[in-house]
């Protein structure tokens, strides 16, 4: 199983929801758009526009929006349950559990239940390596052969290449199901004998390819360098100091009945309890289980940089380049990238019966954790993506209602000219209205009309929208004057 990524339950199951509010929802970012010492220099026009923008941003989505996102996706995918934790302004502000932890017993999911997090575990193994480097016990540039002799090209592969998936060692578990042999116990050495002593898939450093085998090797290196089990080191240096009390090692034992049951399904058939991997198969690559809240505590430590030294975080969070200079989108145990101008660290996870997603926006002091109990399906990632989008998307307002009505009118070849400036009225001449009706009318019903982005430009508010219709999606690019009239309303193709 990929261990890295993540695919439902009856309506009655989805009606069960347990929620814990840890703090009141707070405003994101704390950015003062109009510094006090600058305000007198603004024209009254620009000041009015900024005040309007602040007002709209203050109406940003909160718990009700997040609830609906999770419930809708669970309903569409049929995944039995999800547990969600949300971090804003560096604090855990909300935890939820939705659906059923056990469908046979109709046990509601609870925020205090532990889910397997799969490959999100890898960032903890990477952190252990970085801690040992800080202690002078190893270096990221050490060759694998120094610590684990006998592996293919071990004298050419560096520890850094293990953690960044640029080593060339073949993945021992890319499948999204548990093969018969994996139901039996295994030792790390056996995994390496079969997958790390064959020819490399590529020359080290020249390509990126996800491989769980890398982290089995890294786990062994941690234990040799530290002189203690990986689990013990993490308890001592990470879990204990951060107060992550729920964590358990599912490579040693299955989650108890007090936690969610993991499920799988064949095609579109009914849910079945998923088989449990044999002991040893998840070592250092996907063995951890915990509550969403505890994983959010780890996310806060990433934001505040409290476990490692700043240089270690820099190395963990830097996009690793291959030899031709191309970025991999991966650091050391974490995906790295930017979404809508916001830097993120992320990772998905999958083991038998469970899929998870963890996304951190360190510069914005925000994170979203989603844990689910069905394998081979992407509900966790979908929920996390949509909730993350709400952190930065401008709030919908009455202007969205107006913009949507303009679109509906254009589908019929007409407009309310009182809504537009003289410039925009000139744009919508007879030819324009005919072309709008002829091209937009056949696209059918408007299913969604979403405000995507809002900013200031040229003394106006610039708003872009995404419109999903029966036949396809289009975009709207608009400019609004301070008096609320439209100076521009242009419809464009959109994927």
């Amino acid at each position: 199983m990929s261990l890295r990524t993540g695919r439902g339950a009856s309506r009655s199951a989805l009606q069960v929801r347990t929620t814990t509010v840890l703090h009141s929802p707070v405003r994101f970012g704390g950015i003062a758009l109009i510094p006090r010492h600058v305000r007198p220099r603004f024209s009254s026009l620009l000041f009015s526009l900024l005040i309007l923008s602040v007002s709209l941003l203050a109406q940003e989505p909160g718990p009700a929006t997040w609830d609906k996102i999770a419930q809708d996706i669970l309903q569409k995918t049929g995944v039995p349950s999800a547990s969600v934790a949300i971090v804003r302004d560096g604090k855990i502000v909300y935890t939820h559990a939705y659906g059923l932890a056990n469908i046979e017993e109709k046990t509601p999911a609870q925020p205090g239940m532990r889910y397997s997090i799969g490959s999100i575990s890898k960032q903890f193994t990477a952190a252990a390596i970085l801690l040992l480097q800080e202690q002078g016990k190893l270096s990221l540039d050490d060759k694998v052969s120094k610590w684990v002799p006998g592996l293919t090209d071990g004298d050419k592969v560096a520890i850094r290449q293990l953690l960044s998936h640029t080593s060339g060692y073949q993945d021992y578990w890319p499948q999204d199901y548990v093969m018969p042999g994996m139901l039996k116990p295994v030792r790390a050495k056996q995994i390496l004998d079969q997958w790390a002593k064959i020819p490399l898939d590529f020359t080290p450093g020249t390509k990126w390819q996800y491989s769980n085998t890398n982290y089995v090797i890294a786990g062994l290196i941690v234990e040799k360098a530290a002189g203690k089990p990986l689990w013990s080191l993490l308890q001592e240096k990470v879990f204990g100091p951060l107060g992550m009390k729920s964590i358990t090692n599912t490579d040693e034992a299955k989650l108890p009945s007090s936690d969610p049951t993991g499920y799988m399904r064949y095609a579109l058939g009914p849910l079945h309890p998923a088989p449990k991997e044999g002991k040893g198969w998840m070592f250092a690559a996907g063995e951890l289980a915990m509550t969403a809240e505890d994983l959010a505590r780890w996310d806060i430590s990433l934001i505040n940089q409290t476990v490692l030294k700043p240089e270690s975080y820099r190395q963990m969070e830097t996009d690793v380049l291959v030899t031709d200079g191309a970025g991999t989108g991966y650091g050391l145990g974490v995906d790295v990238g930017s979404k809508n101008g916001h830097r993120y660290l992320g990772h998905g996870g999958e083991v038998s019966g469970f899929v998870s997603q963890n996304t951190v926006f360190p510069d914005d002091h925000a994170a979203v954790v989603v844990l689910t109990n069905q394998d081979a399906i992407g509900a966790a990632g979908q929920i996390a993506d949509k909730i993350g989008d709400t952190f930065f998307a401008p709030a919908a307002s009455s202007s969205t209602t107006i913009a949507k009505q303009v679109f509906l009118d254009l589908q019929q070849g007409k407009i309310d000219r009182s809504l537009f400036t003289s410039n925009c009225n000139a744009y919508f001449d007879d030819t324009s209205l005919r072309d709008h009706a002829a091209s937009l009318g056949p696209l059918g019903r408007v299913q969604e009309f979403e405000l995507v982005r809002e900013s200031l430009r040229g003394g106006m508010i610039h708003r872009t929208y995404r419109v999903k219709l029966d036949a396809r999606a289009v975009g709207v690019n608009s400019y609004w004057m301070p008096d609320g009239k439209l100076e521009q309303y242009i419809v464009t193709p959109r994927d």
Side-chain angles (χ1 to χ4, degrees), residues 416-455:
D416 178 354
R417 293 194 176 274
S418 67
L419 299 175
F420 302 89
T421 65
S422 58
N423 288 337
C424 203
N425 270 314
Y427 174 82
F428 286 114
D429 59 16
D430 290 343
T431 300
S432 172
L433 291 176
R434 282 197 303 270
D435 286 355
H436 277 83
S439 60
L440 300 181
L443 299 182
R445 180 178 56 91
V446 173
Q447 298 179 9
E448 297 176 10
F449 196 99
E450 176 188 14
L451 178 61
V452 175
R453 186 170 288 109
E454 182 177 82
S455 60

Coordinates of all heavy atoms in Angstrom, one line a residue, residues 416-455:
D416 N -29.4 44.2 -16.4 CA -30.0 45.3 -15.8 C -28.9 46.4 -15.8 O -28.0 46.4 -15.1 CB -30.3 44.9 -14.3 CG -30.8 46.1 -13.5 OD1 -30.9 47.2 -14.0 OD2 -31.2 45.9 -12.3
R417 N -29.1 47.4 -16.7 CA -28.1 48.4 -17.0 C -27.9 49.3 -15.8 O -26.9 50.0 -15.7 CB -28.5 49.2 -18.2 CG -28.4 48.3 -19.5 CD -28.4 49.1 -20.8 NE -28.2 48.2 -21.9 CZ -27.0 47.8 -22.4 NH1 -25.9 48.2 -21.8 NH2 -26.9 47.0 -23.4
S418 N -28.7 49.3 -14.8 CA -28.5 50.2 -13.6 C -27.4 49.6 -12.8 O -26.9 50.3 -11.9 CB -29.8 50.2 -12.8 OG -30.1 49.0 -12.2
L419 N -26.9 48.4 -13.0 CA -25.8 47.8 -12.2 C -24.5 48.1 -12.8 O -23.5 47.9 -12.1 CB -26.0 46.3 -12.2 CG -27.3 45.7 -11.6 CD1 -27.3 44.2 -11.8 CD2 -27.3 46.0 -10.1
F420 N -24.4 48.8 -13.9 CA -23.1 49.0 -14.6 C -22.8 50.4 -14.8 O -23.6 51.3 -14.9 CB -23.2 48.3 -16.0 CG -23.5 46.8 -15.9 CD1 -24.8 46.4 -16.0 CD2 -22.5 45.9 -15.9 CE1 -25.1 45.0 -15.9 CE2 -22.7 44.5 -15.8 CZ -24.0 44.1 -15.8
T421 N -21.5 50.7 -14.9 CA -21.0 52.0 -15.3 C -21.3 52.3 -16.8 O -21.6 51.3 -17.5 CB -19.5 52.1 -15.0 OG1 -18.8 51.2 -15.9 CG2 -19.1 51.8 -13.6
S422 N -21.0 53.5 -17.2 CA -21.3 53.8 -18.6 C -20.3 53.0 -19.5 O -20.6 52.6 -20.6 CB -21.1 55.3 -18.9 OG -19.8 55.7 -18.5
N423 N -19.0 52.8 -19.0 CA -18.1 52.0 -19.8 C -18.5 50.6 -20.0 O -18.5 50.1 -21.1 CB -16.7 52.0 -19.1 CG -16.0 53.4 -19.1 OD1 -16.3 54.1 -20.0 ND2 -15.1 53.6 -18.2
C424 N -19.0 50.0 -18.9 CA -19.4 48.6 -19.0 C -20.7 48.5 -19.8 O -20.9 47.5 -20.5 CB -19.6 48.0 -17.6 SG -19.4 46.2 -17.5
N425 N -21.6 49.4 -19.7 CA -22.8 49.4 -20.5 C -22.4 49.5 -22.0 O -23.1 48.8 -22.8 CB -23.7 50.6 -20.1 CG -24.7 50.2 -19.0 OD1 -25.3 49.1 -19.1 ND2 -24.9 51.0 -18.0
A426 N -21.4 50.2 -22.3 CA -21.0 50.3 -23.7 C -20.4 49.0 -24.2 O -20.6 48.6 -25.3 CB -19.9 51.4 -23.9
Y427 N -19.7 48.3 -23.3 CA -19.2 46.9 -23.6 C -20.3 46.0 -24.0 O -20.2 45.1 -24.9 CB -18.4 46.4 -22.4 CG -17.9 45.0 -22.5 CD1 -16.7 44.7 -23.2 CD2 -18.5 44.0 -21.9 CE1 -16.2 43.4 -23.3 CE2 -18.1 42.7 -22.0 CZ -16.9 42.4 -22.7 OH -16.5 41.1 -22.8
F428 N -21.4 46.0 -23.2 CA -22.5 45.1 -23.5 C -23.5 45.7 -24.5 O -24.6 46.1 -24.2 CB -23.3 44.8 -22.2 CG -22.5 43.9 -21.2 CD1 -22.1 44.3 -20.0 CD2 -22.3 42.6 -21.6 CE1 -21.4 43.5 -19.2 CE2 -21.6 41.7 -20.8 CZ -21.1 42.2 -19.6
D429 N -23.0 45.8 -25.8 CA -23.8 46.3 -26.9 C -24.6 45.1 -27.4 O -24.6 44.0 -26.8 CB -23.0 46.9 -28.0 CG -21.9 46.0 -28.5 OD1 -22.0 44.8 -28.4 OD2 -21.0 46.5 -29.2
D430 N -25.4 45.3 -28.5 CA -26.3 44.3 -29.0 C -25.5 43.0 -29.4 O -25.9 41.9 -29.1 CB -27.1 44.8 -30.2 CG -28.1 45.8 -29.7 OD1 -28.4 45.9 -28.5 OD2 -28.6 46.6 -30.6
T431 N -24.3 43.2 -30.0 CA -23.5 42.1 -30.5 C -23.0 41.3 -29.3 O -23.1 40.1 -29.2 CB -22.3 42.5 -31.3 OG1 -22.8 43.2 -32.5 CG2 -21.5 41.4 -31.7
S432 N -22.6 42.0 -28.2 CA -22.1 41.4 -27.0 C -23.2 40.5 -26.4 O -23.0 39.4 -26.0 CB -21.6 42.4 -26.0 OG -21.3 41.8 -24.8
L433 N -24.4 41.1 -26.2 CA -25.5 40.4 -25.6 C -25.9 39.2 -26.4 O -26.2 38.1 -25.8 CB -26.7 41.3 -25.3 CG -26.4 42.4 -24.3 CD1 -27.7 43.3 -24.3 CD2 -26.1 41.9 -22.9
R434 N -25.9 39.3 -27.7 CA -26.2 38.1 -28.5 C -25.2 37.0 -28.4 O -25.5 35.8 -28.2 CB -26.3 38.5 -30.0 CG -27.6 39.2 -30.4 CD -27.8 39.2 -31.9 NE -26.7 39.9 -32.6 CZ -26.6 41.1 -32.9 NH1 -27.6 42.0 -32.5 NH2 -25.6 41.6 -33.5
D435 N -23.9 37.4 -28.4 CA -22.9 36.4 -28.2 C -22.9 35.7 -26.9 O -22.7 34.5 -26.7 CB -21.5 37.0 -28.5 CG -21.3 37.3 -29.9 OD1 -22.1 36.9 -30.8 OD2 -20.2 37.9 -30.2
H436 N -23.2 36.5 -25.8 CA -23.3 35.9 -24.5 C -24.4 34.9 -24.4 O -24.2 33.8 -23.9 CB -23.5 37.0 -23.4 CG -22.2 37.7 -23.0 ND1 -21.6 38.7 -23.7 CD2 -21.4 37.5 -21.9 CE1 -20.5 39.1 -23.1 NE2 -20.4 38.4 -22.0
A437 N -25.6 35.3 -24.9 CA -26.7 34.4 -24.9 C -26.5 33.1 -25.7 O -26.8 32.0 -25.3 CB -28.0 35.1 -25.4
A438 N -25.9 33.3 -26.9 CA -25.6 32.1 -27.8 C -24.6 31.1 -27.2 O -24.7 29.9 -27.4 CB -25.2 32.6 -29.1
S439 N -23.6 31.7 -26.5 CA -22.5 30.8 -26.0 C -22.8 30.3 -24.6 O -22.4 29.2 -24.2 CB -21.2 31.5 -26.1 OG -21.2 32.7 -25.3
L440 N -23.5 31.1 -23.7 CA -23.7 30.7 -22.3 C -25.0 30.0 -22.1 O -25.1 29.1 -21.3 CB -23.6 32.0 -21.4 CG -22.3 32.8 -21.4 CD1 -22.4 33.9 -20.5 CD2 -21.1 31.9 -21.1
G441 N -26.0 30.4 -22.8 CA -27.3 29.7 -22.7 C -27.3 28.2 -22.8 O -27.8 27.5 -22.0
P442 N -26.6 27.7 -23.8 CA -26.6 26.2 -24.0 C -25.8 25.4 -22.9 O -25.9 24.2 -22.9 CB -25.9 26.1 -25.4 CG -26.2 27.3 -26.1 CD -26.1 28.4 -25.0
L443 N -25.1 26.1 -22.1 CA -24.3 25.5 -21.1 C -25.1 24.9 -20.0 O -24.7 24.2 -19.1 CB -23.2 26.4 -20.5 CG -22.2 26.9 -21.5 CD1 -21.1 27.8 -20.8 CD2 -21.5 25.7 -22.3
G444 N -26.4 25.4 -19.9 CA -27.3 24.8 -18.9 C -27.3 25.5 -17.6 O -26.9 26.7 -17.5
R445 N -27.8 24.8 -16.6 CA -28.1 25.4 -15.3 C -26.8 25.7 -14.5 O -25.8 25.0 -14.6 CB -28.9 24.4 -14.5 CG -29.2 24.8 -13.0 CD -30.1 23.7 -12.4 NE -29.4 22.4 -12.4 CZ -28.6 22.0 -11.5 NH1 -28.4 22.7 -10.4 NH2 -28.0 20.8 -11.6
V446 N -26.8 26.8 -13.8 CA -25.6 27.1 -12.9 C -25.7 26.3 -11.7 O -26.6 26.4 -10.9 CB -25.6 28.6 -12.6 CG1 -24.6 28.9 -11.5 CG2 -25.5 29.5 -13.8
Q447 N -24.7 25.4 -11.5 CA -24.7 24.5 -10.3 C -24.0 25.2 -9.2 O -24.4 25.1 -8.0 CB -24.0 23.2 -10.7 CG -24.7 22.4 -11.8 CD -24.0 21.1 -12.1 OE1 -23.0 20.8 -11.4 NE2 -24.4 20.4 -13.1
E448 N -22.9 25.9 -9.5 CA -22.1 26.6 -8.4 C -21.6 27.9 -9.0 O -21.3 28.1 -10.1 CB -20.9 25.8 -8.0 CG -21.2 24.4 -7.4 CD -20.0 23.6 -7.1 OE1 -18.8 24.2 -7.2 OE2 -20.1 22.4 -6.8
F449 N -21.7 29.0 -8.1 CA -21.1 30.3 -8.5 C -20.3 30.7 -7.3 O -20.8 31.1 -6.2 CB -22.3 31.3 -8.7 CG -21.8 32.5 -9.5 CD1 -22.0 32.6 -10.8 CD2 -21.2 33.5 -8.8 CE1 -21.6 33.8 -11.5 CE2 -20.8 34.7 -9.4 CZ -21.0 34.8 -10.8
E450 N -19.0 30.6 -7.4 CA -18.0 30.7 -6.3 C -17.1 31.9 -6.4 O -16.4 32.1 -7.5 CB -17.2 29.4 -6.2 CG -16.2 29.4 -5.1 CD -15.3 28.2 -5.1 OE1 -15.3 27.5 -6.2 OE2 -14.6 28.0 -4.2
L451 N -17.0 32.7 -5.4 CA -16.0 33.8 -5.3 C -14.6 33.1 -5.1 O -14.4 32.5 -4.1 CB -16.3 34.8 -4.2 CG -15.4 35.9 -4.0 CD1 -15.2 36.8 -5.2 CD2 -15.8 36.7 -2.8
V452 N -13.7 33.3 -6.0 CA -12.4 32.7 -5.9 C -11.3 33.6 -5.3 O -10.5 33.2 -4.4 CB -11.9 32.2 -7.3 CG1 -10.5 31.7 -7.2 CG2 -12.9 31.2 -7.9
R453 N -11.3 34.9 -5.7 CA -10.3 35.8 -5.2 C -10.8 37.2 -5.2 O -11.6 37.6 -6.1 CB -9.0 35.7 -6.1 CG -7.8 36.5 -5.6 CD -6.6 36.1 -6.4 NE -6.1 34.8 -6.1 CZ -6.2 33.7 -6.9 NH1 -6.7 33.9 -8.1 NH2 -5.7 32.6 -6.5
E454 N -10.3 38.0 -4.3 CA -10.7 39.4 -4.2 C -9.5 40.3 -3.8 O -8.7 39.9 -3.0 CB -11.8 39.6 -3.1 CG -12.3 41.0 -3.0 CD -13.4 41.0 -1.9 OE1 -13.1 41.1 -0.7 OE2 -14.6 41.0 -2.3
S455 N -9.3 41.4 -4.6 CA -8.1 42.2 -4.3 C -8.5 43.7 -4.7 O -9.5 43.9 -5.3 CB -6.9 41.7 -5.0 OG -7.1 41.7 -6.4

